[in-house]
PDB file of all heavy atoms in Angstrom:
ATOM      1  N   PHE T 491     -18.482 -16.993 -15.365  1.00  0.00           N
ATOM      2  CA  PHE T 491     -17.911 -15.701 -15.031  1.00  0.00           C
ATOM      3  C   PHE T 491     -16.499 -15.483 -15.574  1.00  0.00           C
ATOM      4  O   PHE T 491     -16.207 -14.397 -16.112  1.00  0.00           O
ATOM      5  CB  PHE T 491     -17.942 -15.499 -13.514  1.00  0.00           C
ATOM      6  CG  PHE T 491     -17.446 -14.150 -13.086  1.00  0.00           C
ATOM      7  CD1 PHE T 491     -18.210 -13.010 -13.317  1.00  0.00           C
ATOM      8  CD2 PHE T 491     -16.204 -14.009 -12.481  1.00  0.00           C
ATOM      9  CE1 PHE T 491     -17.757 -11.762 -12.929  1.00  0.00           C
ATOM     10  CE2 PHE T 491     -15.743 -12.767 -12.097  1.00  0.00           C
ATOM     11  CZ  PHE T 491     -16.520 -11.640 -12.317  1.00  0.00           C
ATOM     12  N   PRO T 492     -15.570 -16.438 -15.459  1.00  0.00           N
ATOM     13  CA  PRO T 492     -14.216 -16.192 -15.969  1.00  0.00           C
ATOM     14  C   PRO T 492     -14.195 -15.860 -17.456  1.00  0.00           C
ATOM     15  O   PRO T 492     -13.478 -14.949 -17.892  1.00  0.00           O
ATOM     16  CB  PRO T 492     -13.476 -17.504 -15.678  1.00  0.00           C
ATOM     17  CG  PRO T 492     -14.227 -18.111 -14.546  1.00  0.00           C
ATOM     18  CD  PRO T 492     -15.649 -17.756 -14.785  1.00  0.00           C
ATOM     19  N   LEU T 493     -14.988 -16.588 -18.245  1.00  0.00           N
ATOM     20  CA  LEU T 493     -15.009 -16.327 -19.688  1.00  0.00           C
ATOM     21  C   LEU T 493     -15.561 -14.940 -19.978  1.00  0.00           C
ATOM     22  O   LEU T 493     -15.031 -14.210 -20.826  1.00  0.00           O
ATOM     23  CB  LEU T 493     -15.854 -17.389 -20.387  1.00  0.00           C
ATOM     24  CG  LEU T 493     -15.260 -18.806 -20.411  1.00  0.00           C
ATOM     25  CD1 LEU T 493     -16.257 -19.789 -21.026  1.00  0.00           C
ATOM     26  CD2 LEU T 493     -13.953 -18.824 -21.201  1.00  0.00           C
ATOM     27  N   PHE T 494     -16.627 -14.585 -19.276  1.00  0.00           N
ATOM     28  CA  PHE T 494     -17.182 -13.245 -19.473  1.00  0.00           C
ATOM     29  C   PHE T 494     -16.150 -12.178 -19.116  1.00  0.00           C
ATOM     30  O   PHE T 494     -15.965 -11.199 -19.860  1.00  0.00           O
ATOM     31  CB  PHE T 494     -18.426 -13.057 -18.612  1.00  0.00           C
ATOM     32  CG  PHE T 494     -18.790 -11.608 -18.415  1.00  0.00           C
ATOM     33  CD1 PHE T 494     -19.365 -10.873 -19.443  1.00  0.00           C
ATOM     34  CD2 PHE T 494     -18.514 -10.969 -17.209  1.00  0.00           C
ATOM     35  CE1 PHE T 494     -19.676  -9.537 -19.272  1.00  0.00           C
ATOM     36  CE2 PHE T 494     -18.818  -9.633 -17.031  1.00  0.00           C
ATOM     37  CZ  PHE T 494     -19.405  -8.909 -18.072  1.00  0.00           C
ATOM     38  N   LEU T 495     -15.479 -12.345 -17.988  1.00  0.00           N
ATOM     39  CA  LEU T 495     -14.534 -11.335 -17.528  1.00  0.00           C
ATOM     40  C   LEU T 495     -13.393 -11.155 -18.526  1.00  0.00           C
ATOM     41  O   LEU T 495     -13.014 -10.021 -18.866  1.00  0.00           O
ATOM     42  CB  LEU T 495     -13.983 -11.729 -16.156  1.00  0.00           C
ATOM     43  CG  LEU T 495     -13.188 -10.657 -15.415  1.00  0.00           C
ATOM     44  CD1 LEU T 495     -14.080  -9.479 -15.069  1.00  0.00           C
ATOM     45  CD2 LEU T 495     -12.567 -11.241 -14.148  1.00  0.00           C
ATOM     46  N   ILE T 496     -12.854 -12.255 -19.002  1.00  0.00           N
ATOM     47  CA  ILE T 496     -11.722 -12.172 -19.934  1.00  0.00           C
ATOM     48  C   ILE T 496     -12.158 -11.569 -21.262  1.00  0.00           C
ATOM     49  O   ILE T 496     -11.462 -10.724 -21.846  1.00  0.00           O
ATOM     50  CB  ILE T 496     -11.097 -13.560 -20.137  1.00  0.00           C
ATOM     51  CG1 ILE T 496     -10.510 -14.048 -18.816  1.00  0.00           C
ATOM     52  CG2 ILE T 496     -10.029 -13.520 -21.212  1.00  0.00           C
ATOM     53  CD1 ILE T 496      -9.529 -13.084 -18.167  1.00  0.00           C
ATOM     54  N   LEU T 497     -13.331 -11.982 -21.758  1.00  0.00           N
ATOM     55  CA  LEU T 497     -13.825 -11.419 -23.018  1.00  0.00           C
ATOM     56  C   LEU T 497     -14.086  -9.924 -22.874  1.00  0.00           C
ATOM     57  O   LEU T 497     -13.804  -9.136 -23.797  1.00  0.00           O
ATOM     58  CB  LEU T 497     -15.100 -12.141 -23.452  1.00  0.00           C
ATOM     59  CG  LEU T 497     -14.925 -13.585 -23.936  1.00  0.00           C
ATOM     60  CD1 LEU T 497     -16.279 -14.232 -24.188  1.00  0.00           C
ATOM     61  CD2 LEU T 497     -14.063 -13.636 -25.203  1.00  0.00           C
ATOM     62  N   ALA T 498     -14.610  -9.530 -21.709  1.00  0.00           N
ATOM     63  CA  ALA T 498     -14.860  -8.109 -21.479  1.00  0.00           C
ATOM     64  C   ALA T 498     -13.557  -7.324 -21.439  1.00  0.00           C
ATOM     65  O   ALA T 498     -13.475  -6.199 -21.953  1.00  0.00           O
ATOM     66  CB  ALA T 498     -15.633  -7.929 -20.176  1.00  0.00           C
ATOM     67  N   TYR T 499     -12.518  -7.901 -20.861  1.00  0.00           N
ATOM     68  CA  TYR T 499     -11.224  -7.223 -20.802  1.00  0.00           C
ATOM     69  C   TYR T 499     -10.608  -7.081 -22.194  1.00  0.00           C
ATOM     70  O   TYR T 499      -9.967  -6.080 -22.514  1.00  0.00           O
ATOM     71  CB  TYR T 499     -10.267  -8.000 -19.883  1.00  0.00           C
ATOM     72  CG  TYR T 499     -10.112  -7.367 -18.514  1.00  0.00           C
ATOM     73  CD1 TYR T 499     -10.892  -7.792 -17.451  1.00  0.00           C
ATOM     74  CD2 TYR T 499      -9.198  -6.340 -18.294  1.00  0.00           C
ATOM     75  CE1 TYR T 499     -10.768  -7.216 -16.192  1.00  0.00           C
ATOM     76  CE2 TYR T 499      -9.067  -5.757 -17.046  1.00  0.00           C
ATOM     77  CZ  TYR T 499      -9.850  -6.195 -15.999  1.00  0.00           C
ATOM     78  OH  TYR T 499      -9.728  -5.610 -14.767  1.00  0.00           O
ATOM     79  N   ARG T 500     -10.799  -8.106 -23.016  1.00  0.00           N
ATOM     80  CA  ARG T 500     -10.144  -8.102 -24.327  1.00  0.00           C
ATOM     81  C   ARG T 500     -10.899  -7.267 -25.356  1.00  0.00           C
ATOM     82  O   ARG T 500     -10.298  -6.599 -26.193  1.00  0.00           O
ATOM     83  CB  ARG T 500     -10.012  -9.542 -24.838  1.00  0.00           C
ATOM     84  CG  ARG T 500      -8.959 -10.347 -24.081  1.00  0.00           C
ATOM     85  CD  ARG T 500      -8.835 -11.745 -24.659  1.00  0.00           C
ATOM     86  NE  ARG T 500      -7.812 -12.519 -23.949  1.00  0.00           N
ATOM     87  CZ  ARG T 500      -7.541 -13.804 -24.203  1.00  0.00           C
ATOM     88  NH1 ARG T 500      -8.227 -14.449 -25.150  1.00  0.00           N
ATOM     89  NH2 ARG T 500      -6.604 -14.426 -23.514  1.00  0.00           N
ATOM     90  N   TYR T 501     -12.234  -7.318 -25.298  1.00  0.00           N
ATOM     91  CA  TYR T 501     -12.999  -6.726 -26.389  1.00  0.00           C
ATOM     92  C   TYR T 501     -13.940  -5.600 -25.946  1.00  0.00           C
ATOM     93  O   TYR T 501     -14.547  -4.940 -26.786  1.00  0.00           O
ATOM     94  CB  TYR T 501     -13.836  -7.811 -27.091  1.00  0.00           C
ATOM     95  CG  TYR T 501     -12.993  -8.954 -27.590  1.00  0.00           C
ATOM     96  CD1 TYR T 501     -13.070 -10.206 -26.982  1.00  0.00           C
ATOM     97  CD2 TYR T 501     -12.111  -8.789 -28.662  1.00  0.00           C
ATOM     98  CE1 TYR T 501     -12.303 -11.272 -27.435  1.00  0.00           C
ATOM     99  CE2 TYR T 501     -11.333  -9.856 -29.110  1.00  0.00           C
ATOM    100  CZ  TYR T 501     -11.433 -11.084 -28.493  1.00  0.00           C
ATOM    101  OH  TYR T 501     -10.663 -12.131 -28.938  1.00  0.00           O
ATOM    102  N   GLY T 502     -14.062  -5.391 -24.660  1.00  0.00           N
ATOM    103  CA  GLY T 502     -14.971  -4.361 -24.188  1.00  0.00           C
ATOM    104  C   GLY T 502     -14.233  -3.257 -23.454  1.00  0.00           C
ATOM    105  O   GLY T 502     -13.012  -3.283 -23.312  1.00  0.00           O
ATOM    106  N   SER T 503     -14.981  -2.305 -22.985  1.00  0.00           N
ATOM    107  CA  SER T 503     -14.394  -1.206 -22.230  1.00  0.00           C
ATOM    108  C   SER T 503     -14.570  -1.458 -20.745  1.00  0.00           C
ATOM    109  O   SER T 503     -15.366  -2.306 -20.322  1.00  0.00           O
ATOM    110  CB  SER T 503     -15.080   0.110 -22.608  1.00  0.00           C
ATOM    111  OG  SER T 503     -16.443   0.075 -22.209  1.00  0.00           O
ATOM    112  N   ARG T 504     -13.852  -0.691 -19.958  1.00  0.00           N
ATOM    113  CA  ARG T 504     -13.983  -0.796 -18.509  1.00  0.00           C
ATOM    114  C   ARG T 504     -15.400  -0.406 -18.080  1.00  0.00           C
ATOM    115  O   ARG T 504     -15.968  -1.014 -17.165  1.00  0.00           O
ATOM    116  CB  ARG T 504     -12.944   0.119 -17.849  1.00  0.00           C
ATOM    117  CG  ARG T 504     -12.965   0.102 -16.322  1.00  0.00           C
ATOM    118  CD  ARG T 504     -12.537  -1.252 -15.794  1.00  0.00           C
ATOM    119  NE  ARG T 504     -12.546  -1.263 -14.360  1.00  0.00           N
ATOM    120  CZ  ARG T 504     -11.488  -0.946 -13.603  1.00  0.00           C
ATOM    121  NH1 ARG T 504     -10.344  -0.587 -14.179  1.00  0.00           N
ATOM    122  NH2 ARG T 504     -11.560  -1.008 -12.287  1.00  0.00           N
TER     123      ARG T 504
END
Side-chain angles (χ1 to χ4, degrees):
F491 184 72
L493 291 175
F494 162 74
L495 191 65
I496 296 306
L497 289 174
Y499 258 95
R500 288 182 179 176
Y501 304 110
S503 65
R504 180 67 179 269

